[in-house]
Amino acid sequence: MDADLRSIQAAREAADKAFTAWQTFKNTDPAQIDEIVQAMARAIEPEALRLAELAVEETGYGNVPDKRIKNLFNSLSVAEWLRDIKTLGLLWQDERTKIAAIGEPMGLVAALIPVTNPTSTIIYKVLSAVKAGNAIVCAPHPRGVKSGVATVEIMARVAEQMGAPKGLIQCLDQVTNQGTAELMKHRRTSVVMATGGPAMVQAAYSSGKPTLAVGAGNVPCYVHASKKSELAEVAEQILTSKSFDYGTACVSEQAIVVDREIAGQLRHEMRMRGGYFCTASEAERLAKVIFTPNNSMNPNNVGQSPESLASQADIQIPPNCRALIADQSEIGWHAPLSAEKLNPVLAWYESKDSDEGIDISERIAKFGGWGHSAVVHSNDPGIVSQYSRLPVGRVLANTPGILGGMGFSTDLEPSFMLGTGTSSGSIVSDNVTALHLINIKRVAWQNRPWRDIYDIYGE
């Protein structure tokens, strides 16, 4: 049997097994489910470093310290948030309107896992799916199978020890595109959670199943002149966010747009903290390293260190370099560094005033980043309000893009799946959580005499 047939068969068997397990699990007391979720999260914490090492070794993307933090964010922060929300049973009732809402699980979740975050995304999706009373089968990227299976094994083993039926939580260990497609369209699958590149998202929406999917992000970061006295902190936030896990997060900043009045000072602060500004010829060579001739990201250079990228582009960088920065004046594929870059590389634009700065930022967001996120650094609430016109799902003010977007440094829901809304073809613009994985049943009592319809509208 060839690889595709093995993967298809594995997907069918996993879906059937998970559905059977869910039939037993779906009536489990929500209090017991909460205990299972928290036990799974606790089991991940001591394994966070090992799983990070597995992910980097297998995929070649990112770095171990930051992948460890991603694992811990999901096993600690996401789990803590889940502890305080209600997903099943009576969610709320309104005595005045005589309506009650009851949360019910959807069933089997097919979870597509990106190669850039093969362990942390599984942690987040498994905790969320089970909190909502569902079964889940993870379909990792072929380059993330070993680390994905290892992550699921930890969580599934603990869940079973806590009383969950065997098979409720699974990870495919034989993966091809055909097998993943079979899992998505399987008759037992209730909903698809897709995180990945445009091709994966398109395939998910073509499966014929209800789908939660996220699009690409080309995140602009506008720095307004009102931050003049705080540019050291602004520079540190941007560089920390963009260099985190070597830029593998789509919510990290992609381009800096800065008012010309403070551009020189911010440029100095960026250099002082590890930002290397490329010459025009260096930027041209760098673009050829990051992108292929057909304007797609070179998968071999996603999530690579500044040293690796610079070496390939024949650029000499200082030893403390955290990100490569390229001055730009155009936006579009004739200026490829204006596009999304899943590595520690930033575009740099200067604006004459806030109107132009916001306009440049809007054009960047519309170039491959519809519906995702945008960052603004300003002490003027009016500027933040104007900036909010950008066609994105979240505007993050005075905070690092990755930490604000995933809900650590802001009060957004902690999540590793950031919806991008209908402007990018997604059904959701929220930070996706367990609350997106339940059906809500309304129980409505009569609160108006039904015969009044004839008095109001006539016969």
Side-chain angles (χ1 to χ4, degrees), residues 331-363:
I331 299 167
W333 280 117
H334 57 289
L337 291 180
S338 65
E340 180 185 35
K341 304 164 289 294
L342 295 181
N343 40 48
V345 176
L346 287 159
W348 176 277
Y349 296 85
E350 297 183 8
S351 56
K352 63 182 180 182
D353 55 26
S354 60
D355 287 341
E356 185 178 45
I358 294 172
D359 178 68
I360 293 171
S361 300
E362 183 172 10
R363 289 164 55 205

mmCIF file of all heavy atoms in Angstrom, residues 331-363:
data_model
loop_
_atom_site.group_PDB
_atom_site.id
_atom_site.type_symbol
_atom_site.label_atom_id
_atom_site.label_comp_id
_atom_site.label_asym_id
_atom_site.label_seq_id
_atom_site.Cartn_x
_atom_site.Cartn_y
_atom_site.Cartn_z
ATOM 1 N N ILE A 331 5.090 48.994 -2.040
ATOM 2 C CA ILE A 331 4.348 47.874 -1.468
ATOM 3 C C ILE A 331 3.797 47.042 -2.613
ATOM 4 O O ILE A 331 3.152 47.580 -3.521
ATOM 5 C CB ILE A 331 3.194 48.369 -0.569
ATOM 6 C CG1 ILE A 331 3.746 49.186 0.602
ATOM 7 C CG2 ILE A 331 2.365 47.181 -0.043
ATOM 8 C CD1 ILE A 331 2.694 49.977 1.352
ATOM 9 N N GLY A 332 4.060 45.756 -2.594
ATOM 10 C CA GLY A 332 3.612 44.871 -3.667
ATOM 11 C C GLY A 332 4.712 43.903 -4.039
ATOM 12 O O GLY A 332 5.843 44.005 -3.519
ATOM 13 N N TRP A 333 4.429 43.000 -4.942
ATOM 14 C CA TRP A 333 5.410 41.966 -5.258
ATOM 15 C C TRP A 333 6.619 42.498 -6.016
ATOM 16 O O TRP A 333 7.637 41.812 -6.129
ATOM 17 C CB TRP A 333 4.757 40.812 -6.017
ATOM 18 C CG TRP A 333 4.028 39.889 -5.089
ATOM 19 C CD1 TRP A 333 2.699 39.618 -5.060
ATOM 20 C CD2 TRP A 333 4.610 39.129 -4.023
ATOM 21 N NE1 TRP A 333 2.402 38.753 -4.034
ATOM 22 C CE2 TRP A 333 3.554 38.430 -3.388
ATOM 23 C CE3 TRP A 333 5.904 38.985 -3.527
ATOM 24 C CZ2 TRP A 333 3.773 37.594 -2.291
ATOM 25 C CZ3 TRP A 333 6.116 38.154 -2.434
ATOM 26 C CH2 TRP A 333 5.060 37.466 -1.834
ATOM 27 N N HIS A 334 6.533 43.725 -6.535
ATOM 28 C CA HIS A 334 7.738 44.335 -7.094
ATOM 29 C C HIS A 334 8.690 44.763 -5.975
ATOM 30 O O HIS A 334 9.849 45.096 -6.247
ATOM 31 C CB HIS A 334 7.366 45.531 -7.974
ATOM 32 C CG HIS A 334 6.567 46.576 -7.262
ATOM 33 N ND1 HIS A 334 5.251 46.372 -6.896
ATOM 34 C CD2 HIS A 334 6.893 47.818 -6.828
ATOM 35 C CE1 HIS A 334 4.802 47.461 -6.277
ATOM 36 N NE2 HIS A 334 5.770 48.339 -6.228
ATOM 37 N N ALA A 335 8.196 44.745 -4.729
ATOM 38 C CA ALA A 335 9.015 44.986 -3.532
ATOM 39 C C ALA A 335 8.735 43.846 -2.561
ATOM 40 O O ALA A 335 8.006 44.018 -1.583
ATOM 41 C CB ALA A 335 8.678 46.341 -2.919
ATOM 42 N N PRO A 336 9.263 42.662 -2.789
ATOM 43 C CA PRO A 336 8.847 41.460 -2.046
ATOM 44 C C PRO A 336 9.001 41.540 -0.540
ATOM 45 O O PRO A 336 8.253 40.887 0.190
ATOM 46 C CB PRO A 336 9.725 40.345 -2.640
ATOM 47 C CG PRO A 336 10.822 41.045 -3.361
ATOM 48 C CD PRO A 336 10.276 42.353 -3.806
ATOM 49 N N LEU A 337 9.939 42.340 -0.051
ATOM 50 C CA LEU A 337 10.100 42.422 1.402
ATOM 51 C C LEU A 337 8.953 43.167 2.065
ATOM 52 O O LEU A 337 8.887 43.231 3.298
ATOM 53 C CB LEU A 337 11.434 43.078 1.751
ATOM 54 C CG LEU A 337 12.678 42.243 1.407
ATOM 55 C CD1 LEU A 337 13.945 42.986 1.794
ATOM 56 C CD2 LEU A 337 12.643 40.878 2.091
ATOM 57 N N SER A 338 8.019 43.708 1.290
ATOM 58 C CA SER A 338 6.815 44.308 1.858
ATOM 59 C C SER A 338 5.765 43.253 2.186
ATOM 60 O O SER A 338 4.739 43.565 2.783
ATOM 61 C CB SER A 338 6.222 45.340 0.893
ATOM 62 O OG SER A 338 5.761 44.727 -0.306
ATOM 63 N N ALA A 339 6.008 41.996 1.806
ATOM 64 C CA ALA A 339 5.063 40.908 2.053
ATOM 65 C C ALA A 339 5.331 40.253 3.411
ATOM 66 O O ALA A 339 6.290 40.592 4.116
ATOM 67 C CB ALA A 339 5.167 39.863 0.937
ATOM 68 N N GLU A 340 4.474 39.299 3.766
ATOM 69 C CA GLU A 340 4.659 38.544 5.005
ATOM 70 C C GLU A 340 5.951 37.748 4.937
ATOM 71 O O GLU A 340 6.250 37.109 3.923
ATOM 72 C CB GLU A 340 3.490 37.591 5.239
ATOM 73 C CG GLU A 340 3.621 36.777 6.515
ATOM 74 C CD GLU A 340 2.529 35.740 6.685
ATOM 75 O OE1 GLU A 340 2.088 35.167 5.668
ATOM 76 O OE2 GLU A 340 2.111 35.495 7.828
ATOM 77 N N LYS A 341 6.703 37.762 6.036
ATOM 78 C CA LYS A 341 7.985 37.075 6.110
ATOM 79 C C LYS A 341 8.036 36.293 7.419
ATOM 80 O O LYS A 341 8.100 36.901 8.493
ATOM 81 C CB LYS A 341 9.136 38.091 6.053
ATOM 82 C CG LYS A 341 9.080 38.988 4.830
ATOM 83 C CD LYS A 341 9.954 40.224 4.963
ATOM 84 C CE LYS A 341 9.402 41.226 5.972
ATOM 85 N NZ LYS A 341 8.125 41.834 5.576
ATOM 86 N N LEU A 342 8.003 34.980 7.346
ATOM 87 C CA LEU A 342 8.027 34.165 8.563
ATOM 88 C C LEU A 342 9.463 33.880 8.989
ATOM 89 O O LEU A 342 9.907 32.739 9.106
ATOM 90 C CB LEU A 342 7.231 32.868 8.346
ATOM 91 C CG LEU A 342 5.732 33.046 8.115
ATOM 92 C CD1 LEU A 342 5.054 31.697 7.950
ATOM 93 C CD2 LEU A 342 5.080 33.834 9.251
ATOM 94 N N ASN A 343 10.174 34.953 9.211
ATOM 95 C CA ASN A 343 11.546 34.891 9.693
ATOM 96 C C ASN A 343 11.886 36.263 10.277
ATOM 97 O O ASN A 343 11.096 37.203 10.142
ATOM 98 C CB ASN A 343 12.515 34.494 8.561
ATOM 99 C CG ASN A 343 12.148 35.163 7.242
ATOM 100 O OD1 ASN A 343 11.906 36.368 7.202
ATOM 101 N ND2 ASN A 343 12.094 34.397 6.176
ATOM 102 N N PRO A 344 13.021 36.420 10.930
ATOM 103 C CA PRO A 344 13.330 37.685 11.602
ATOM 104 C C PRO A 344 13.789 38.782 10.643
ATOM 105 O O PRO A 344 14.933 39.235 10.680
ATOM 106 C CB PRO A 344 14.424 37.291 12.596
ATOM 107 C CG PRO A 344 15.074 36.102 11.975
ATOM 108 C CD PRO A 344 14.004 35.371 11.242
ATOM 109 N N VAL A 345 12.874 39.206 9.780
ATOM 110 C CA VAL A 345 13.149 40.241 8.779
ATOM 111 C C VAL A 345 12.003 41.245 8.796
ATOM 112 O O VAL A 345 10.833 40.857 8.795
ATOM 113 C CB VAL A 345 13.303 39.632 7.371
ATOM 114 C CG1 VAL A 345 13.483 40.732 6.326
ATOM 115 C CG2 VAL A 345 14.485 38.658 7.325
ATOM 116 N N LEU A 346 12.345 42.537 8.799
ATOM 117 C CA LEU A 346 11.364 43.615 8.830
ATOM 118 C C LEU A 346 11.569 44.570 7.662
ATOM 119 O O LEU A 346 12.711 44.858 7.271
ATOM 120 C CB LEU A 346 11.492 44.417 10.131
ATOM 121 C CG LEU A 346 10.993 43.769 11.426
ATOM 122 C CD1 LEU A 346 11.649 44.441 12.624
ATOM 123 C CD2 LEU A 346 9.482 43.868 11.516
ATOM 124 N N ALA A 347 10.470 45.066 7.117
ATOM 125 C CA ALA A 347 10.527 46.188 6.188
ATOM 126 C C ALA A 347 10.444 47.481 6.987
ATOM 127 O O ALA A 347 9.880 47.511 8.080
ATOM 128 C CB ALA A 347 9.383 46.092 5.187
ATOM 129 N N TRP A 348 10.985 48.572 6.440
ATOM 130 C CA TRP A 348 11.023 49.861 7.146
ATOM 131 C C TRP A 348 10.514 50.963 6.217
ATOM 132 O O TRP A 348 11.015 51.129 5.112
ATOM 133 C CB TRP A 348 12.460 50.151 7.569
ATOM 134 C CG TRP A 348 12.694 51.476 8.229
ATOM 135 C CD1 TRP A 348 12.881 52.686 7.627
ATOM 136 C CD2 TRP A 348 12.808 51.722 9.644
ATOM 137 N NE1 TRP A 348 13.094 53.667 8.554
ATOM 138 C CE2 TRP A 348 13.052 53.117 9.804
ATOM 139 C CE3 TRP A 348 12.734 50.922 10.773
ATOM 140 C CZ2 TRP A 348 13.225 53.698 11.056
ATOM 141 C CZ3 TRP A 348 12.897 51.501 12.019
ATOM 142 C CH2 TRP A 348 13.141 52.869 12.168
ATOM 143 N N TYR A 349 9.507 51.691 6.684
ATOM 144 C CA TYR A 349 8.942 52.797 5.914
ATOM 145 C C TYR A 349 8.931 54.047 6.792
ATOM 146 O O TYR A 349 8.728 53.958 8.004
ATOM 147 C CB TYR A 349 7.496 52.502 5.498
ATOM 148 C CG TYR A 349 7.343 51.323 4.560
ATOM 149 C CD1 TYR A 349 7.262 50.026 5.059
ATOM 150 C CD2 TYR A 349 7.260 51.504 3.180
ATOM 151 C CE1 TYR A 349 7.119 48.943 4.216
ATOM 152 C CE2 TYR A 349 7.110 50.428 2.315
ATOM 153 C CZ TYR A 349 7.043 49.150 2.837
ATOM 154 O OH TYR A 349 6.897 48.073 2.001
ATOM 155 N N GLU A 350 9.111 55.208 6.164
ATOM 156 C CA GLU A 350 9.030 56.469 6.880
ATOM 157 C C GLU A 350 7.904 57.311 6.294
ATOM 158 O O GLU A 350 7.718 57.359 5.066
ATOM 159 C CB GLU A 350 10.365 57.212 6.825
ATOM 160 C CG GLU A 350 11.480 56.440 7.517
ATOM 161 C CD GLU A 350 12.807 57.182 7.553
ATOM 162 O OE1 GLU A 350 12.838 58.379 7.166
ATOM 163 O OE2 GLU A 350 13.810 56.565 7.969
ATOM 164 N N SER A 351 7.119 57.954 7.188
ATOM 165 C CA SER A 351 5.963 58.738 6.763
ATOM 166 C C SER A 351 6.127 60.189 7.193
ATOM 167 O O SER A 351 6.706 60.473 8.242
ATOM 168 C CB SER A 351 4.687 58.164 7.387
ATOM 169 O OG SER A 351 4.793 58.109 8.798
ATOM 170 N N LYS A 352 5.588 61.086 6.386
ATOM 171 C CA LYS A 352 5.739 62.518 6.708
ATOM 172 C C LYS A 352 4.858 62.933 7.885
ATOM 173 O O LYS A 352 5.169 63.889 8.588
ATOM 174 C CB LYS A 352 5.425 63.366 5.479
ATOM 175 C CG LYS A 352 4.001 63.236 4.972
ATOM 176 C CD LYS A 352 3.787 64.063 3.717
ATOM 177 C CE LYS A 352 2.347 63.929 3.209
ATOM 178 N NZ LYS A 352 2.131 64.690 1.952
ATOM 179 N N ASP A 353 3.735 62.221 8.083
ATOM 180 C CA ASP A 353 2.831 62.544 9.184
ATOM 181 C C ASP A 353 1.943 61.341 9.469
ATOM 182 O O ASP A 353 2.085 60.281 8.834
ATOM 183 C CB ASP A 353 1.978 63.779 8.861
ATOM 184 C CG ASP A 353 1.208 63.663 7.559
ATOM 185 O OD1 ASP A 353 0.905 62.511 7.128
ATOM 186 O OD2 ASP A 353 0.889 64.708 6.951
ATOM 187 N N SER A 354 1.007 61.487 10.413
ATOM 188 C CA SER A 354 0.174 60.356 10.811
ATOM 189 C C SER A 354 -0.769 59.915 9.698
ATOM 190 O O SER A 354 -1.039 58.716 9.555
ATOM 191 C CB SER A 354 -0.622 60.704 12.068
ATOM 192 O OG SER A 354 -1.465 61.820 11.852
ATOM 193 N N ASP A 355 -1.265 60.849 8.913
ATOM 194 C CA ASP A 355 -2.162 60.464 7.813
ATOM 195 C C ASP A 355 -1.444 59.538 6.842
ATOM 196 O O ASP A 355 -1.991 58.507 6.436
ATOM 197 C CB ASP A 355 -2.674 61.706 7.077
ATOM 198 C CG ASP A 355 -3.709 62.487 7.881
ATOM 199 O OD1 ASP A 355 -4.287 61.898 8.810
ATOM 200 O OD2 ASP A 355 -3.924 63.674 7.579
ATOM 201 N N GLU A 356 -0.231 59.901 6.478
ATOM 202 C CA GLU A 356 0.521 59.053 5.557
ATOM 203 C C GLU A 356 0.928 57.750 6.237
ATOM 204 O O GLU A 356 0.904 56.679 5.611
ATOM 205 C CB GLU A 356 1.759 59.774 5.040
ATOM 206 C CG GLU A 356 2.505 58.955 3.985
ATOM 207 C CD GLU A 356 3.712 59.665 3.426
ATOM 208 O OE1 GLU A 356 4.495 60.250 4.223
ATOM 209 O OE2 GLU A 356 3.896 59.637 2.197
ATOM 210 N N GLY A 357 1.287 57.818 7.509
ATOM 211 C CA GLY A 357 1.675 56.604 8.225
ATOM 212 C C GLY A 357 0.556 55.594 8.287
ATOM 213 O O GLY A 357 0.769 54.384 8.082
ATOM 214 N N ILE A 358 -0.650 56.065 8.564
ATOM 215 C CA ILE A 358 -1.801 55.161 8.626
ATOM 216 C C ILE A 358 -2.135 54.648 7.228
ATOM 217 O O ILE A 358 -2.498 53.470 7.060
ATOM 218 C CB ILE A 358 -2.999 55.878 9.276
ATOM 219 C CG1 ILE A 358 -2.681 56.187 10.748
ATOM 220 C CG2 ILE A 358 -4.262 55.024 9.178
ATOM 221 C CD1 ILE A 358 -3.700 57.061 11.440
ATOM 222 N N ASP A 359 -1.991 55.502 6.219
ATOM 223 C CA ASP A 359 -2.260 55.069 4.842
ATOM 224 C C ASP A 359 -1.286 53.977 4.407
ATOM 225 O O ASP A 359 -1.696 52.964 3.820
ATOM 226 C CB ASP A 359 -2.155 56.268 3.902
ATOM 227 C CG ASP A 359 -2.380 55.875 2.449
ATOM 228 O OD1 ASP A 359 -3.530 55.501 2.101
ATOM 229 O OD2 ASP A 359 -1.411 55.918 1.663
ATOM 230 N N ILE A 360 0.000 54.152 4.695
ATOM 231 C CA ILE A 360 0.992 53.117 4.354
ATOM 232 C C ILE A 360 0.669 51.819 5.084
ATOM 233 O O ILE A 360 0.714 50.724 4.499
ATOM 234 C CB ILE A 360 2.415 53.603 4.700
ATOM 235 C CG1 ILE A 360 2.825 54.778 3.810
ATOM 236 C CG2 ILE A 360 3.418 52.455 4.552
ATOM 237 C CD1 ILE A 360 4.130 55.447 4.238
ATOM 238 N N SER A 361 0.329 51.929 6.358
ATOM 239 C CA SER A 361 -0.010 50.740 7.143
ATOM 240 C C SER A 361 -1.210 50.012 6.557
ATOM 241 O O SER A 361 -1.233 48.771 6.489
ATOM 242 C CB SER A 361 -0.299 51.140 8.595
ATOM 243 O OG SER A 361 0.816 51.756 9.200
ATOM 244 N N GLU A 362 -2.204 50.759 6.125
ATOM 245 C CA GLU A 362 -3.386 50.143 5.537
ATOM 246 C C GLU A 362 -3.040 49.408 4.253
ATOM 247 O O GLU A 362 -3.516 48.292 4.012
ATOM 248 C CB GLU A 362 -4.444 51.205 5.267
ATOM 249 C CG GLU A 362 -5.756 50.638 4.720
ATOM 250 C CD GLU A 362 -6.844 51.683 4.644
ATOM 251 O OE1 GLU A 362 -6.547 52.890 4.824
ATOM 252 O OE2 GLU A 362 -8.002 51.303 4.412
ATOM 253 N N ARG A 363 -2.193 49.994 3.435
ATOM 254 C CA ARG A 363 -1.788 49.336 2.183
ATOM 255 C C ARG A 363 -1.000 48.059 2.461
ATOM 256 O O ARG A 363 -1.146 47.051 1.752
ATOM 257 C CB ARG A 363 -0.972 50.309 1.341
ATOM 258 C CG ARG A 363 -1.813 51.440 0.737
ATOM 259 C CD ARG A 363 -0.938 52.586 0.256
ATOM 260 N NE ARG A 363 0.090 52.134 -0.672
ATOM 261 C CZ ARG A 363 1.237 52.772 -0.877
ATOM 262 N NH1 ARG A 363 1.522 53.871 -0.186
ATOM 263 N NH2 ARG A 363 2.108 52.294 -1.742
#
